[in-house]
Each structure stands twice: as structure tokens, then as C-alpha cells.
Amino acid sequence: MKFAIIALLFFCAQAVFSQSKTINGVVSDKSGLPLSGVSVSVQGKSSSAITDFDGKYVINNVESDNKLVFAYIGMISQVVAVGSNSSINITMQDASQDLKEVVVVAYGVQKRGNVTGAISTVSSKDIAALPITNAESALQGRAAGVTVINNGSPGSTPEVSIRGLGSPNNNSPLYVVDGVIVGNLSSISPNDIESVSVLKDASTAALYGSRGSNGVVIVTTKKGKSGVGQLSFNTYTGFQKVGKTYDLLNSEQYQQYAKDWGVTINRPADFLKNNVNYLDEIFTTGAMQDYNLSYSSGTDHSTNRFSAEYLKQDGVIVDSGYERYTFRANNTQKIEKLRLTVGSNMGLSFGKQNPERISGGRTLIEHAIKAAPYLPVYNSTNLGGFQGPSNAADGQDAENPVRVQSLGYTINKTLGITGNIFAEFEIIKDLKFRSQVSLDYYDLDNRNFIPSYDDDSVPNGSTHSAAYSATTRVYGSGQTIMFNNSLSYKKTIAEKHNFDAVILVENNKSKGEQVNAGSRYSISDEIDQLNSATVTALSSTSFEDYRVGYVGRLNYNYDEKYLFAVSGRRDASSRFGSNYRWANFYSVAGGWNIAKENFLQNTQVSTLKLRASYGTTGNDEIGRYAYSAALVGNLIYPIAGNAAVGTTAGSLASPDLHWESKTMKNIGLDFGFLNDKITGSFEIYDNRSDDLLLNLPVAPSIGSFSGSQPKNVGSVSTKGFEVVLGYNDNEGDFRWSANFNLGTSKNEVLDLGGIDKIAGGTAFRAGGDAISQTTVGDPLFYFYGLVADGIYKNQAEVDAVFTATPGQTTVKPGDIRFKDLNGDGNITSADRTKIGNPLPDITYGMNFNATYKQFDFNFFITGVQGNDIFNTNRYDLEGMAKLFNAGTAVLDRSIVANGVVTNPDSTIPRLNGAVQNTAVSSRFVEDGSFARLKNISIGYTLPSSISKYFSKLRVYASGQNLVTITDYSGLDPEIGNGNSSIIGGTNYDKGIDRGNYPQPKSVLLGLEISF
């Protein structure tokens, strides 16, 4: 018996030990290159190993019924059963390939093949290819139908619109970062972004109902992944310069030009020898640098990713620049016993901007154009140390732009915190409950200090000066707290019927406050603090917003062939009156995956899907408390013969104000051939915005100080199509891909509630007409003015036009000839007409990527076609309305002798000509179309045999905005809403160049390291 028991134990032990073995193998990427640092672990056990620099691994104590887990940052984890194998080789696939199969949508994800709506996606690979400071810039030219307009000023936020403009009001999309609704993406490092989804139709955006009418941009940040921890460091450094400038009169030319005006310059001879080009003085070479450090790790139960970035960008205008620190921490934790997943996504950013300063309502570029070139930049004998004009001969309205920008300081500091904490509980199989609390917090601190100065101490001179120092402060903070609770259910029945349902309740509360203060100090320029002695400004504001929404969505597909989606949302917003605070929004969509039909099996057609959607979204982005009556104070009334301060009705109550609504129709076709080697899509959309919120005039007898009342009256139609084409060759040593996208947009105003027009685009000279306007039957914000028709060459040509006023002497030969469109024999404001459209007909982008062994190459082109720009700089360069410095074009101005223009080929009017020469006209309208080489880069990744201490080491060089093809004569054809410092950045100034900060050319060197 003892012998039998011992024998039994021996054989059992032998059987046990025979099941434990050693497994080895090689892990490589899809191109066959070995991968070092791959985590290899036994599922459910502590045994693990790491691949060496040749991709090899050895792991002991593995049993036949075990499974091995292969994990690597940026690649899809794989789980392999051991079985009888003693050697297991693995080929890892890029996680980006997996992302192509899944699309982030509102409140969840969907398989791309099951999507019925219009969605464009931009991956982290595409974002990383372009060194950018603002994540919005990554969308430019990469997402069909998305227009992105950058501003060269460091720290500025790009303007983004999706599928054109649908309203004269706010047209910015809604931004969502990891489920948190934010104002923009300026506080997020592009290095932290995993993917961006742009929701463009009702099927995708209607779930954000109250705020989705302008489209939705959903940003997913990078998360930790299972596997060995990875430390990454990315950096780049380089310089930036303006690519173009204007030719201005030099000192000698200006002095002769002044004589032609009949002006004598009373300056010493040595003074007049100065020759200063003020554009050269304000433009400089700006350095740019970025440092990003991240660490990612994870297990089957938890993942973590931490990152930090420092960005510093010096502007191409002196003393302008931007600094930003960003920090992000994302983590998840699975508690399997409780069927619970908890986590958080938190971001923190600090920004400091030195912006371009505006003085006298003029940009620095306008001042630089007009400044007399014999005036030196600096003069130590003047208070403040700068030189400026003293009389009309010097062009006295023009200030020294270097002094405007450099004396004292302007610093705008920001603090932003965005994040969420969530918990997801699996109630039963396929049914999950998720609760999430989100925060979007901002804090701003804008400081401005200008010491006393006197740009010209000439006795009795009319100069720019201040006998005191001036200090202003703007402090503000605000926050939005969002609380969401949702139930989601996914179920497959009979392996064919697939259901995906979500119901959600969300509550948003926003509040904020701001304090504005200013004071002067006459005793010292060393004190930059506020004081109570001479207060120049003191005010404060506060606000609160509330939004409540109830959301439901159901997606169904049969065998992933026939697709159906329906969603609904009921919203309330505190921005409307009590009568119409609630509104309903909905969408329906369907799709047919034709490629999955039997008749297309075993063909070259890999993807073919037809889809359509219809639905509504809303917009509540109007001024706060517009529904309420307001009071205006500080009005002076004569009471009993004395001046008394009184108060009157500022505006009328509008309790019936309600949502702007947009009805969206979309038809799309997705296709792919040769196993999606060739891919593409085609979209047609038709959007209509109704109940636009417009200010209608009211009778003066009502007594409203504003003279208007907001009402829901207008309508705008926007139509267009989009095309996306792609080619991918991923075989062999040389691999390449090319993608092209194109989008069109055309809008028409259908109704303005009885208003004849909405005027916009403030005139560029006192008493002038508005530059743009909006009327029924026309596009939004079109340019409106006279039509220039050359130069009057002689008196006979003048008389032929002014038949109603023969003998008039205001307009003479050498003046601009305008078309008499109404045929009344005179040129008046009645002859104004549409002279340009600031909105492009087409936006496009092309991206090319290639790799050859260790080398990689990328170039990216973006552009627009069919838009116009109103160039007010030409008024400064060629207008000659008053003695200022000007462009060299005025040297070829029309010369008149004996009533005849002696140089008939001149396109520039005579000196000191008719006032009409500087009227708003087609003379200042130019074609704004352009094609721009946005980025070109070449990189080299060291092979693992050389960089044995790193899992990745890549060096690269890149250039941005190096080539721009355009007929526009200005410094930069990428013009959005004008200069926000002058006109507030409203749509009414769209496409008007008032000396905007130009985008620079830049050259960068970069390094990417992973351990």
C-alpha cells in the first residue's frame, strides 16, 4: 500500500511538472521589425517577461492551459492560448488600425461600419505630424467641411466653423473633451490627444441638442494601456519669421511726397537723413520651443497616463509671445468583484500671453505703414525714450508702433482646469449605469501698465503723450459643473439583431464673475498698482446659466447590413424667457451596408455603405438675460434747471424668446476597394436655420434706450457637398498613403423678420459706409459698396458719368471712376451693390505620408477657393486721403496736366483727390483664394540595433507655411473675423483685413524618445 501511494504521488508530480514549461519567441511589428519592451505575461498570474532589443522573450513556469498576454503602448494587446506550443511568435498591430474600426460619437463609441451619420476623424498620428500650439489647428484641411482660420498671434484661438455659417450669431462648434463640454481647446496639449471626431449632421449632433447646431468636436485624450510602463519625451525647437512685407516710401521719397501735398517739413537736416522702415522695426524673428514628457502604464485591472508640457512661442511682432504649462492625469480602475469601473480624466493648464497691443483703434501694422520714415524709433531726450510725430507733416495720427507695443507691459494670464470623475456599474449583463461629474473652470488675470510718455517734446507740438502712468486690471473666473447619469444597454439576439440603447439625464450649471478696474498715477512711473486717487474705470459683472437635458438614443442593425438610428432630446435653458425655455430635438437615420450583401462577396468592393439622416438641433448662444428688461443709468436730465443723474429703460422684456433651431438633412456614401486600399466618401447636406435671434427696431415712442428688441424671426439656408478620397499602400519597404478632402458651402438668407439689412464691418474712415451687410436672398456678411471702373482719364469721361450734375468740380480726371448702376447720372450710395463674399466656396486639404525603412516623410497642403478679402491696408498704402507714409505704389499715381491724365496706365488715383476715392468699393476687394504648404517634414528613426537603450528614438525636421500660392496682396490671406482687439471678433467683420497679425513661416528640429 505504501509503495502504491508513493508511486501514485510520483506519477502525479511527474504529470504536474510535465505541464509546466518554458515559452520563447519573437515579437515584431507588421513590417517584421523586432519590438523591444513588449510586456509578455501569463494571464491571471504574476509570471512575466519583457522582449529584448531583438524582440525576443523567454517566460518560465507556463502551463498548457494558460494564456499569454502581449501588450505594448500604441499597439493592440493580444491574448494567445499556450496549448502544446513551446515557441510563440507574435506580430503586433498598431492601435491606430483598431481606432479605424471604432468611431467616438456622442456619449459612446460605434463601429465605423455601423455609423449612419456624417463624422470626420483625425487621429493622433495626423496631429503629431504637425507641430501646433492649438489643437483646433489640427482640423484644418484634415476634416472635410471644416473651416479653420488661424491667427498668427501666439496664444490666439483659431476660428472653426463646420459646414459653413448658418446664423449671423455664434457659429462656433461645441467642444467636448473626454465627455466634458469646454469653451475651446486652447488648454489641451496636442500631444495628449488620441483622436478627434467631428460630428456634422443631426444623426450625430442631435444628442447635444441645445448646443449642437454648429456641429460638435469630440476630443479623446490618450489613456494608459496594459503592458510595461513607457516613458516618452518629445521636444522641438525652431524659429519663425514673416514671409512677406509691404514696400513703403523711404525718407527721401516721403519728403518729396509731402512737398507734392504742399507740406513743408520743419525738421533739422540731420533729422531728415534718418531712414526707418517701421514694418522692419516691429517684425522680428521669433523662437519657438516645446517640451513634452509622458508616462503610461497599465494592467488588466488599471491603467494610468501622466503628462506634462511646456510651450514657449515668441511672436514675429516685437514683445509678443505665449507661454503655456499643461498637465494631464488619466486613470481607470476595474473592481471586478463589484462589476465596477471608476476613473478620472484631469487636465490643468497655465497660460501667459503678451498680445499685440492696439492704440487709437489701429493695429500695429497700420501705425507702421503710416509712420514718417525720418522719425527715429528711439529718442532718449523724450519722456519714455521714443520718438513720434509732432505735426501734420509727420502724419501726426500715426503713433510709434514700437512704443505702443513695448512701453510698459500687457500680460494676459489664464488658468484652466478641466476634468471628470466617473463610475460605471454593470447592473446585469449588457446593462450598465454610468455616473459622471465634470468640471470646466477658468481664471483670468489681464494686466496692462503704461508709464507716462511724450513722443515729441517740441514746444507747442501736437504729439502723442500721457502725463501720467495708467494701470488697468481685469480679473475674472468662471466654472461649469456638469452632472450626467446614464443607462446603456447592448444586446445581440439570434446573432443577427444588434441593439444599442442609451438614456441620459444631464444637468449643467455655469457661473462666473469679472472685475474691471483702472487708475492713473501722476507722481511716479515705477508704481504699477491700482489706487483710489484717480479712478478711470471700476465695474463688475456676474452671471449664472442653467441647462437641463433628457436624452435617448436607439441604434439597431440587422447583421450589420441594415442600420437604423433614432434619438431624441428635451432641453431647457435659463437664457430664454419663462414662456419658451423648453425645446425638443430629434433625429432619425438609416444605412445599408451594401458590401455585406452576398452579391458583393468575393469582389474587389470591400466597403460600400449608403446612409441618410434627418433631424434638428438647437442654439442658445445669445446674450445672457436678453429676455429680461434692463435699465440704463448715468444719464443726465435737466430737472428744475439743474443737471440730474437719471435712469431709463435700457431694453424691453422678451419673454417669448426661444431656441434657434436647425434642421439638417444628409445623404452619404462610403466606399472602399481592394481591401480598403482605396477608400472614400461622398456627402450631400442641406441645413436650414430658423427662428434666428435678431434685434428688431422698435418705435422711438416706446422709450427703449437700445432702440431694438430681440426676437426669433430669421432663417438661413446652407447647402453643400463633401468628398474624401484616400489611398494606402502598406506593403514592402516603401509604404505610402495619400488623402484628399474637399468641402463646399453656400448659404442664403431667407428671412430677416422684416429688417431691410444687418449692417456690419465698421468703416475704415470716419463717416464712411459699413463694409459689409446681410440682406434677404444674399449670403451672410457680403461686402457692399461701389464698383470701381478704372481711372477717369480726361474731363470728357467725367462728364459722361455725371450727367445729372454737369459742371460739378468735386470729381476730376485722375479720380476713381465708379459705375452708375442705377443710371441716374450721378454716383451716390444708391449705386452700391454686392462687391464680394468673404465665405469660401471650397475648402480642401491633401495629406501625404511615406516611409522607407527608417525614414518617414510628410507633406500637408490646405487651402480655400472662391472667397474675397476686403483689404483695408490698401487704403493705408494707396488711399492718399491724408498725408501719411504710404506704399511705393503712390509713386505711380495718376498725374494730371491740363485736365488730362498723362500716365493713362496708372491704376492709382491722383493725389488729394475726390473723397469718393476712399469710399467702400471693389477697389479694396481682392481674391482671397490660396493654397498653402502647411507642413513638410522628414524624420529618421534609429533601428533597435543602434538605439538599444530606447524603444524609440526619432529625429526630424519640419517647416510650416513655407509656400503660399495666392493672388492676395496682403501679408496673409488667411483672414477670419478681422482683428478682435478692434471690433470684438464678431462675424460682422468676417474677411476684413485691418492689418491682422500674419501667420509666420517656421522651421523646426524635433526629437522623440521612448523608453
Side-chain angles (χ1 to χ4, degrees):
M1 179 63 69
K2 291 180 180 179
F3 177 82
I5 293 173
I6 292 173
L8 179 61
L9 292 174
F10 174 81
F11 285 116
C12 289
Q14 187 180 29
V16 170
F17 285 114
S18 66
Q19 291 177 358
S20 296
K21 53 187 175 180
T22 298
I23 304 295
N24 58 49
V26 176
V27 181
S28 58
D29 63 15
K30 61 184 180 181
S31 63
L33 295 175
L35 287 173
S36 63
V38 178
S39 170
V40 185
S41 59
V42 180
Q43 192 174 58
K45 294 187 176 182
S46 59
S47 300
S48 64
I50 301 294
T51 58
D52 62 17
F53 300 112
D54 296 317
K56 297 179 181 179
Y57 73 93
V58 176
I59 187 167
N60 300 315
N61 299 324
V62 182
E63 299 176 3
S64 298
D65 59 350
N66 288 156
K67 294 180 179 179
L68 296 185
V69 180
F70 297 84
Y72 190 71
I73 299 297
M75 293 191 169
I76 304 169
S77 297
Q78 296 191 38
V79 180
V80 180
V82 174
S84 60
N85 297 312
S86 59
S87 179
I88 299 176
N89 297 327
I90 293 295
T91 300
M92 304 288 283
Q93 298 294 326
D94 291 338
S96 59
Q97 296 295 318
D98 186 50
L99 287 174
K100 291 181 179 179
E101 305 300 322
V102 177
V103 178
V104 179
V105 297
Y107 306 109
V109 296
Q110 276 187 282
K111 287 186 177 180
R112 181 174 289 277
N114 296 338
V115 171
T116 55
I119 301 179
S120 293
T121 58
V122 180
S123 69
S124 58
K125 182 179 179 181
D126 293 329
I127 296 172
L130 179 63
I132 52 176
T133 59
N134 290 88
E136 290 98 331
S137 299
L139 301 176
Q140 187 177 37
R142 300 187 185 276
V146 179
T147 301
V148 179
I149 301 174
N150 293 289
N151 186 297
S153 179
S156 62
T157 301
E159 299 170 27
V160 180
S161 61
I162 298 174
R163 291 186 166 179
L165 305 185
S167 169
N169 300 314
N170 183 284
N171 283 277
S172 298
L174 180 71
Y175 295 99
V176 182
V177 179
D178 292 332
V180 183
I181 295 175
V182 297
N184 55 56
L185 305 181
S186 61
S187 62
I188 299 174
S189 167
N191 289 287
D192 288 333
I193 296 177
E194 183 69 43
S195 67
V196 180
S197 293
V198 183
L199 314 184
K200 299 183 286 188
D201 72 334
S203 176
T204 54
L207 278 179
Y208 290 104
S210 63
R211 308 180 73 179
S213 64
N214 298 324
V216 183
V217 177
I218 299 180
V219 175
T220 303
T221 61
K222 294 177 181 178
K223 310 296 191 296
K225 295 180 176 65
S226 298
V228 65
Q230 184 178 70
L231 181 67
S232 297
F233 175 71
N234 300 331
T235 182
Y236 63 79
T237 185
F239 65 89
Q240 305 175 103
K241 296 191 70 173
V242 292
K244 186 178 181 182
T245 187
Y246 295 121
D247 293 325
L248 305 179
L249 298 179
N250 60 32
S251 183
E252 182 180 353
Q253 291 167 333
Y254 179 83
Q255 292 172 54
Q256 180 58 52
Y257 179 61
K259 288 181 181 179
D260 294 341
W261 273 91
V263 175
T264 300
I265 300 176
N266 186 21
R267 293 284 191 177
D270 290 343
F271 204 90
L272 295 178
K273 292 180 180 179
N274 294 318
N275 191 21
V276 179
N277 185 317
Y278 272 89
L279 285 175
D280 292 341
E281 296 297 327
I282 65 170
F283 289 138
T284 184
T285 299
M288 186 175 180
Q289 52 190 309
D290 181 90
Y291 307 93
N292 182 272
L293 182 68
S294 65
Y295 178 76
S296 177
S297 66
T299 67
D300 292 341
H301 302 288
S302 65
T303 61
N304 298 278
R305 186 180 186 274
F306 307 95
S307 67
E309 181 190 54
Y310 171 69
L311 166 73
K312 189 175 189 300
Q313 180 184 7
D314 295 328
V316 294
I317 286 182
V318 294
D319 293 324
S320 65
Y322 181 62
E323 284 185 275
R324 184 181 67 200
Y325 297 84
T326 60
F327 306 90
R328 177 160 288 274
N330 296 342
N331 69 85
T332 60
Q333 181 72 43
K334 294 181 180 179
I335 308 173
E336 294 185 352
K337 291 183 179 180
L338 300 178
R339 294 181 296 185
L340 183 67
T341 300
V342 297
S344 65
N345 303 282
M346 303 299 296
L348 173 66
S349 71
F350 300 91
K352 185 176 78 170
Q353 181 190 34
N354 299 105
E356 174 192 7
R357 295 197 231 169
I358 303 300
S359 181
R362 299 179 179 90
T363 63
L364 293 175
I365 289 176
E366 182 177 347
H367 284 302
I369 290 172
K370 293 180 174 180
Y374 55 75
L375 297 175
V377 177
Y378 305 100
N379 187 338
S380 59
T381 64
N382 289 337
L383 178 63
F386 293 90
Q387 180 63 54
S390 64
N391 51 50
D394 299 334
Q396 65 189 32
D397 289 349
E399 300 183 51
N400 184 325
V402 180
R403 189 263 301 160
V404 171
Q405 181 67 11
S406 302
L407 186 63
Y409 63 80
T410 296
I411 300 175
N412 298 335
K413 295 183 178 180
T414 58
L415 162 66
I417 302 173
T418 60
N420 62 33
I421 300 174
F422 66 88
E424 187 174 83
F425 174 62
E426 186 176 22
I427 302 173
I428 59 174
K429 185 180 180 181
D430 304 321
L431 179 64
K432 294 181 180 180
F433 171 76
R434 181 184 176 97
S435 185
Q436 176 175 297
V437 178
S438 306
L439 170 68
D440 179 24
Y441 175 85
Y442 71 86
D443 186 282
L444 61 88
D445 180 3
N446 299 342
R447 303 187 176 197
N448 184 73
F449 172 71
I450 303 175
S452 62
Y453 63 91
D454 187 343
D455 283 358
D456 198 335
S457 56
V458 174
N460 302 316
S462 175
T463 187
H464 301 283
S465 63
Y468 45 77
S469 64
T471 303
T472 59
R473 297 283 191 272
V474 177
Y475 299 98
S477 64
Q479 66 181 34
T480 299
I481 298 177
M482 294 154 276
F483 186 36
N484 297 348
N485 292 288
S486 64
L487 279 173
S488 61
Y489 183 73
K490 291 186 178 182
K491 184 69 175 179
T492 298
I493 301 176
E495 299 183 353
K496 299 284 186 181
H497 302 276
N498 302 299
F499 296 88
D500 180 358
V502 173
I503 58 173
L504 178 141
V505 179
E506 68 175 16
N507 187 303
N508 296 352
K509 178 182 178 180
S510 302
K511 65 178 181 179
E513 60 183 2
Q514 184 170 300
V515 177
N516 306 289
S519 66
R520 295 173 179 173
Y521 202 71
S522 302
I523 299 176
S524 172
D525 286 331
E526 304 299 321
I527 302 175
D528 62 352
Q529 303 298 316
L530 295 168
N531 69 84
S532 60
T534 308
V535 176
T536 58
L538 182 61
S539 65
S540 66
T541 60
S542 62
F543 70 88
E544 290 189 11
D545 285 337
Y546 298 89
R547 294 182 178 93
V548 178
Y550 301 92
V551 185
R553 176 183 67 195
L554 173 64
N555 294 332
Y556 166 77
N557 72 75
Y558 176 76
D559 199 22
E560 297 190 343
K561 291 182 183 179
Y562 312 112
L563 316 171
F564 176 76
V566 60
S567 69
R569 179 165 182 139
R570 181 165 174 78
D571 273 309
S573 172
S574 64
R575 294 198 175 190
F576 301 111
S578 56
N579 294 351
Y580 292 97
R581 225 155 237 177
W582 289 89
N584 301 318
F585 307 98
Y586 64 92
S587 74
V588 292
W592 179 21
N593 262 324
I594 307 172
K596 292 185 177 291
E597 298 290 353
N598 293 332
F599 58 81
L600 284 180
Q601 297 301 307
N602 301 317
T603 68
Q604 300 298 333
V605 179
S606 49
T607 299
L608 187 62
K609 181 173 64 174
L610 181 66
R611 48 189 169 76
S613 66
Y614 177 89
T616 60
T617 58
N619 183 14
D620 69 346
E621 291 297 325
I622 63 170
R624 297 181 176 93
Y625 313 114
Y627 62 86
S628 176
L631 299 176
V632 175
N634 295 326
L635 297 177
I636 306 301
Y637 290 87
I639 299 178
N642 296 313
V645 178
T647 300
T648 189
S651 61
L652 301 176
S654 300
D656 293 334
L657 278 186
H658 53 274
W659 302 84
E660 286 188 359
S661 65
K662 180 181 287 186
T663 302
M664 299 180 173
K665 304 172 188 175
N666 189 87
I667 298 176
L669 178 68
D670 303 323
F671 55 86
F673 304 99
L674 303 175
N675 196 26
D676 282 353
K677 197 170 189 176
I678 300 173
T679 61
S681 67
F682 182 77
E683 309 265 0
I684 300 176
Y685 67 90
D686 184 351
N687 299 338
R688 175 176 170 136
S689 301
D690 291 301
D691 294 330
L692 299 182
L693 292 156
L694 301 176
N695 287 315
L696 298 185
V698 296
S701 59
I702 292 179
S704 172
F705 184 81
S706 66
S708 63
Q709 183 179 22
K711 291 187 178 181
N712 295 88
V713 291
S715 298
V716 174
S717 171
T718 308
K719 300 178 181 179
F721 66 86
E722 298 163 2
V723 178
V724 178
L725 297 172
Y727 181 83
N728 299 278
D729 183 357
N730 292 319
E731 299 178 0
D733 288 338
F734 180 75
R735 303 179 181 188
W736 65 280
S737 65
N739 296 279
F740 173 79
N741 70 78
L742 177 150
T744 72
S745 175
K746 182 179 180 180
N747 68 62
E748 178 185 352
V749 178
L750 305 178
D751 180 31
L752 287 177
I755 301 176
D756 292 333
K757 65 179 179 181
I758 300 176
T762 308
F764 50 80
R765 64 176 174 83
D769 298 315
I771 296 173
S772 65
Q773 69 177 29
T774 298
T775 54
V776 173
D778 296 307
L780 290 163
F781 316 123
Y782 64 86
F783 303 138
Y784 188 72
L786 300 175
V787 179
D789 190 27
I791 301 290
Y792 291 115
K793 301 298 191 297
N794 51 59
Q795 188 61 42
E797 291 185 1
V798 176
D799 295 339
V801 173
F802 289 90
T803 58
T805 56
Q808 63 82 34
T809 58
T810 301
V811 179
K812 300 178 181 180
D815 288 329
I816 299 290
R817 178 170 55 205
F818 297 108
K819 290 185 177 181
D820 181 14
L821 297 182
N822 66 351
D824 66 353
N826 205 352
I827 301 299
T828 67
S829 60
D831 293 306
R832 291 180 297 165
T833 186
K834 290 180 289 184
I835 56 175
N837 186 349
L839 308 179
D841 296 325
I842 299 173
T843 61
Y844 60 88
M846 184 175 70
N847 191 38
F848 178 85
N849 290 291
T851 60
Y852 178 73
K853 295 185 178 179
Q854 308 303 125
F855 290 93
D856 60 85
F857 175 75
N858 168 268
F859 75 81
F860 173 47
I861 295 173
T862 184
V864 299
Q865 190 71 31
N867 65 300
D868 297 304
I869 297 173
F870 196 97
N871 187 359
T872 69
N873 300 293
R874 289 187 61 183
Y875 169 78
D876 304 322
L877 293 164
E878 306 170 6
M880 297 182 294
K882 190 176 180 181
L883 178 57
F884 292 110
N885 199 15
T888 54
V890 301
L891 300 176
D892 298 321
R893 63 187 181 272
S894 296
I895 304 299
V896 182
N898 299 319
V900 177
V901 176
T902 60
N903 54 337
D905 293 333
S906 175
T907 59
I908 307 299
R910 66 186 174 97
L911 187 71
N912 198 18
V915 175
Q916 272 190 356
N917 289 347
T918 56
V920 174
S921 72
S922 60
R923 176 189 176 191
F924 304 110
V925 176
E926 301 183 43
D927 182 5
S929 304
F930 70 87
R932 172 168 280 167
L933 181 60
K934 192 66 181 177
N935 181 72
I936 184 169
S937 63
I938 185 169
Y940 180 77
T941 302
L942 272 68
S944 57
S945 58
I946 298 177
S947 57
K948 62 181 181 178
Y949 297 106
F950 312 103
S951 58
K952 178 182 180 181
L953 196 158
R954 174 178 178 261
V955 294
Y956 66 91
S958 72
Q960 287 75 47
N961 305 323
L962 297 184
V963 178
T964 301
I965 301 174
T966 183
D967 291 331
Y968 181 58
S969 67
L971 302 184
D972 186 2
E974 201 165 324
I975 303 296
N977 290 342
N979 191 298
S980 60
S981 299
I982 295 177
I983 49 82
T986 65
N987 286 322
Y988 302 114
D989 224 47
K990 185 168 289 294
I992 301 176
D993 185 356
R994 301 182 186 273
N996 290 15
Y997 200 122
Q999 289 189 76
K1001 295 182 178 182
S1002 61
V1003 176
L1004 304 172
L1005 296 176
L1007 174 67
E1008 299 175 355
I1009 304 175
S1010 295
F1011 301 89

